[in-house]
Amino acid sequence: MDAQSRGRAEDIDPADQWVMNPQTGNYELRLDQSAPQSSASSSRPAGARRAARGAAPADEAAAPSRTATRRRQQGGDERAAEVPVQRSRRAGGGDRVPPQAGRRKRKPAGSRKKKVLLWTGGGLALLMVGTASAGYLYYEHLNANITSVPDDNAGTGGFSKDRAINILLIGTDKRTGAGNEGYGDKNSPGHADTTVLLHVSKDRTNATALSIPRDLITDIPDCPTTQEDGSTKVIPGQQGVRFNTSLGQAGRTPSCTMRTVTEMTGITMDHFMVADFNAVKTLTSAVGGVPICLAKDVKDPDSHLNLPAGDHTIEGEEALAFVRTRHSFGNQGDLDRIKIQQQFLSSLMRTLKSNDTLTSPTKLVKLAEAGTKALTVDSKIDDIGKLRDLGLELGKFDMKNLTFATVPVLDNPAEKVKATVILNPSKADSLFSMVKNDISLTEVEAQKKEKQQAAQAEQAKLLEGTRAEASGVRVDVLNGGGPQGAAQKTLDWLQNTEGVLKSTNKGNAPADVSQTTLVYAPNQADQARKLADLMGLPATALKPGTTDAEGLEAMTLTLGPDFKGAGVPITGPAKAPDDAVQADKKICAE
C-alpha cells in the first residue's frame, strides 16, 4: 500500500483524530500526533474548534480527514510513531526490521469501546441541539397560530396559582372557515351561542362548569372596548336583552361577555377562550373522536345529524352536528341542547385526559395545532408558555370531581309564546354564591364526606324523641329575611290551622339570618320537635341551647330567606342543582 491509499478517508479511524487535553479537559483535534497536544489545540482552525464543541457545520467537520490525508501524502503516516518496533526472524540473525508502512498494533477492546461511546455521545449531542432548535421553531410556530384580543380590564388581570381560577368558555355561531356554510347566520358577526363558566377550586381538587343559556334575558353593562386602531370606545349597555347579544352585536368583544357574566353572577373572570365551529371539528378529530351514547335513533334535517341508537365515536362534521342539534332530544329547546353539550364536553374532557391521548405524540401535536388555530384567547394568555401553565393548573382536578350545572331559570312570564327565560333568583343566587365562595358541587374527599355524614346524623338525632301537644308549644315568631309579612302569616296559620295558640308575632328580627332557625332550651326539646313537624323544619334549623327555660319562656322562631310560606316545608341547606351532571358519568342522550 502506498501513502496515497493509506490516506483515504475511509481508512482513517475518526476517533484517532480527537484526544483529551489533560490541561483543559476538552477533546481536541490532533493534527500532529508527534507534537504536544497543546500545540495541536492552539494551531487548529476555527472550524475545528467549533467541531470540538459539537456544533461544526458538516463541511468543517470533514476538515480533519482532509488534513490527515494531505499530511500522509507529504510525509507518510503520522501514526507511525505509535506503532512499536516489531521483531522478525530472518535467516542469519535476529536483527530488528523497520516497521512496515501502514501497519498498526491492534487496539485493545476497551479502546474501541471508548471510541464507540465518544461518537455515540457526540451524535446524541448533535441530536439534542437539533431537537432543541426544532422545539424552539415549533414553539414559535404555535405562538404564531394564536389569535388574541384584549380583555379591556374586564377580568382579574390573570390567573394565579394560589387562588381559584375562573375561565369563561364561549362558543360563537359566527360562520367562519370552509365547510361551515350551513351553520349560523350568513352576515352575522356571531353571538355567545354557548357559554360555560369554568370554576376550578383553589386547592385544584374539584371544578364546576356552569352553563349560561343563550336565551336568558339579562342586562348588558356599558363595555369599554379596544378598537382595531388601538383606541377605546364605550359600547352602550342594554337592559332586558338576550344574553347571547353580549358578543358580536354592536361591536361587542368577549370582554363584554365577561362583564355581563360578572354583572349577573358577582364572579370575576380570569380569562376567556372563544371557539368557533371549526374548533369542534378539529379538536375532536385531533383526539381521534369523542365517545357518545344515544338512547334512541336521531335524524335531524337541520343539523344533519343521522345516527342510530347506541354507542358512537364522533368527530369533525358529525361532532359539530351533535352539539348543534336542537330538535332531537327532550322538548327540543335550548335548555335540552345545553344538557347534550354538557354530556359531550364531559366525554371530550375524559378523552383529553385519557392515556390514549396523553401518551400519543401524534395526538398531542394535532391537539397543539388544532387548539392554537381554533381558539381566540384574551391577551393575558396569548403565549404558548402561559397557556401551558394555565393548562397545567386546569388539569389537576380529578374528572369525578367536575360537575356540570345550568344557571337556574324560569320561563319568561312576559311572553305568551315561550322563547326566552329569566333567572330563578331563589336558586340562582344560591348557586352563584357557592361558586363564588369556592364551594364544590361534588364531594371531593371521603374523609370530608364521612365528617359531614356524622354531623348530619348527630343533628338528625335532635328530631328523635317525644313530641309535645300543639297546645303546649310556646313560640315567638320573627321575620329575619323572609317575605314581607311572613311573621304574621305564619302566626295566623299556627293559631288557626295547627292549634299553636301560645304563639306571638315579634316583628322583624334584630338582624337577618341566612336560613330559618328555631332556638330552644333543653327542656323545650319536645316542643321544638313538634314545631319542626308542623312547619317541615330540617334538623339543621334546630339550635338547642345549654340552659333550661324558666316559667313561660317561649322558643324563638326566626324566618329566613328559605321560608316559602306558611305550611310550606322548608328545604335543607344549599345543595347541588338537581340537574347537575358529574363529568365522569356516562349518560345516554335522550
Side-chain angles (χ1 to χ4, degrees), residues 40 70 81 216 230 238 253 281 293 309 330 351 423 460 482 524 562 582:
R70 185 168 58 254
L216 172 64
Q238 289 181 279
T253 65
K281 294 192 287 188
C293 177
T351 303
L423 279 181
Q524 295 173 324
D562 55 349
Q582 256 55 57

Side-chain angles (χ1 to χ4, degrees), residues 292-413:
I292 63 166
C293 177
L294 299 178
K296 63 180 182 179
D297 296 344
V298 174
K299 189 172 184 179
D300 185 351
D302 293 328
S303 69
H304 312 298
L305 182 65
N306 187 0
L307 290 173
D311 294 326
H312 303 275
T313 298
I314 58 175
E315 62 176 283
E317 290 285 349
E318 202 168 48
L320 180 58
F322 181 78
V323 299
R324 292 282 298 163
T325 185
R326 294 184 62 186
H327 306 294
S328 303
F329 308 105
N331 61 8
Q332 301 186 14
D334 189 55
L335 295 180
D336 284 300
R337 185 175 72 159
I338 286 176
K339 295 178 182 178
I340 298 303
Q341 292 172 344
Q342 291 175 346
Q343 293 171 20
F344 177 83
L345 288 174
S346 296
S347 183
L348 174 59
M349 295 184 72
R350 289 195 300 270
T351 303
L352 286 171
K353 298 186 74 169
S354 69
N355 287 334
D356 288 345
T357 299
L358 297 178
T359 59
S360 171
T362 301
K363 288 184 179 180
L364 291 176
V365 169
K366 287 182 178 179
L367 273 173
E369 289 286 346
T372 53
K373 287 180 179 178
L375 299 177
T376 296
V377 300
D378 67 82
S379 53
K380 299 294 193 301
I381 48 173
D382 60 354
D383 176 84
I384 286 297
K386 296 175 183 177
L387 285 172
R388 175 202 61 204
D389 292 343
L390 175 60
L392 290 174
E393 292 300 307
L394 299 181
K396 289 181 178 179
F397 63 84
D398 194 311
M399 283 295 294
K400 68 181 181 180
N401 296 324
L402 168 61
T403 301
F404 282 89
T406 303
V407 171
V409 295
L410 300 169
D411 286 336
N412 190 346

Side-chain angles (χ1 to χ4, degrees), residues 219-239:
D219 295 337
I220 299 177
D222 292 343
C223 295
T225 305
T226 302
Q227 306 300 298
E228 290 185 1
D229 61 2
S231 63
T232 300
K233 175 183 177 181
V234 177
I235 299 176
Q238 289 181 279
Q239 286 71 48

